Amino acid sequence: MALRAVVFDYGMVLTGPPDPEAHAALLRITGLPPDRFEPLYWADRHALDEGKLTGITFWQKFIRDAALDHAMDQSAPRQSIVEELNRWDARLWTTQNPAMLAWQQQLKERGLLTAILSNMSDNVLENMKREFDWIHRFDVLVWSFQLHMVKPGPAIYRHTLAELGTQPEETLFLDDKLVNVEAARALGIQAIQFSTVERLRADLIAAGLDAELPLP
């Protein structure tokens, strides 16, 4: 079957690296060194992406788990600190990869369907909607927190295929995480692990997909 759709992960595929200014702000506000901040930050990201936590409840839990109630700036109300952390967290992931966004437009001009399938939290999505008008250029948008399902679980891939109306073999999926790529392949979806535009171009040629797709 001919390829009909390309599905993009969001983070580190359609985006660039996390915003360093936002990361520095999170460290400054919490007062934590990176080696303490990072494990606490990542401990509940799965629950956040699954919709079990909101951005606000994520940071409330972070403060409790880090025992920061008495260490943080007491001149500011606790809720305002939580909201500030939530804003900076959203900004951390609101970056862009212009080359990949340009390629998505090329794909649309060639007549292919495009989708975003992302493990996504509510705070990041709200910030994306404010900052990026290109989201609406995609035919299908699948955000994990809204569905209470996440990659690499097979259900979210099947949901994306159903929304696109394509068969697995008619669909190409790009993700920077190998575990998510392997999960897609297990369902019969063509999948490539993304690292750089140059590497993607080489992988598309190696897979013979340059006959069906414009190259990025």
Side-chain angles (χ1 to χ4, degrees):
M1 287 188 179
L3 204 62
R4 293 180 54 212
V6 178
V7 180
F8 298 78
D9 176 37
Y10 171 73
M12 300 303 293
V13 178
L14 292 174
T15 77
D19 185 322
E21 183 183 354
H23 187 264
L26 293 173
L27 295 177
R28 173 181 54 78
I29 296 164
T30 60
L32 295 174
D35 62 347
R36 180 129 188 270
F37 176 88
E38 295 299 330
L40 286 164
Y41 180 80
W42 290 105
D44 290 306
R45 296 308 286 192
H46 189 84
L48 180 62
D49 289 340
E50 233 177 347
K52 293 178 178 177
L53 295 171
T54 65
I56 293 295
T57 58
F58 171 88
W59 284 106
Q60 289 171 338
K61 186 175 186 299
F62 181 102
I63 289 171
R64 289 196 304 272
D65 292 348
L68 291 177
D69 286 288
H70 301 295
M72 299 179 76
D73 183 0
Q74 297 302 306
S75 65
R78 186 171 185 269
Q79 186 60 24
S80 69
I81 295 173
V82 168
E83 290 170 356
E84 185 179 8
L85 288 166
N86 194 47
R87 286 193 297 271
W88 281 112
D89 186 22
R91 180 170 164 181
L92 185 68
W93 303 106
T94 311
T95 62
Q96 303 183 78
N97 184 338
M100 291 299 284
L101 293 171
W103 188 51
Q104 184 265 341
Q105 287 189 292
Q106 289 180 275
L107 294 171
K108 291 296 297 174
E109 290 166 3
R110 187 70 70 88
L112 283 98
L113 298 168
T114 59
I116 303 176
L117 166 54
S118 177
N119 285 356
M120 174 65 63
S121 59
D122 66 324
N123 58 339
V124 177
L125 181 58
E126 285 307 309
N127 204 51
M128 286 168 57
K129 287 178 177 178
R130 286 191 294 269
E131 297 290 332
F132 300 150
D133 59 1
W134 50 258
I135 294 173
H136 305 291
R137 298 204 307 253
F138 290 79
D139 299 286
V140 169
L141 301 170
V142 179
W143 312 118
S144 61
F145 81 95
Q146 294 177 339
L147 300 170
H148 304 291
M149 57 177 77
V150 294
K151 298 176 292 186
I156 199 164
Y157 297 92
R158 293 192 181 107
H159 175 87
T160 305
L161 292 172
E163 290 293 304
L164 283 166
T166 60
Q167 297 300 311
E169 59 271 24
E170 297 175 314
T171 310
L172 173 65
F173 173 64
L174 307 175
D175 198 295
D176 64 306
K177 294 182 179 177
L178 182 58
V179 63
N180 295 337
V181 168
E182 290 175 339
R185 289 173 178 164
L187 295 172
I189 299 168
Q190 300 186 65
I192 293 174
Q193 184 179 12
F194 180 84
S195 55
T196 66
V197 173
E198 293 74 23
R199 183 69 217 176
L200 173 61
R201 188 180 299 117
D203 287 341
L204 290 169
I205 293 170
L209 292 173
D210 55 317
E212 299 187 57
L213 302 174
L215 293 175

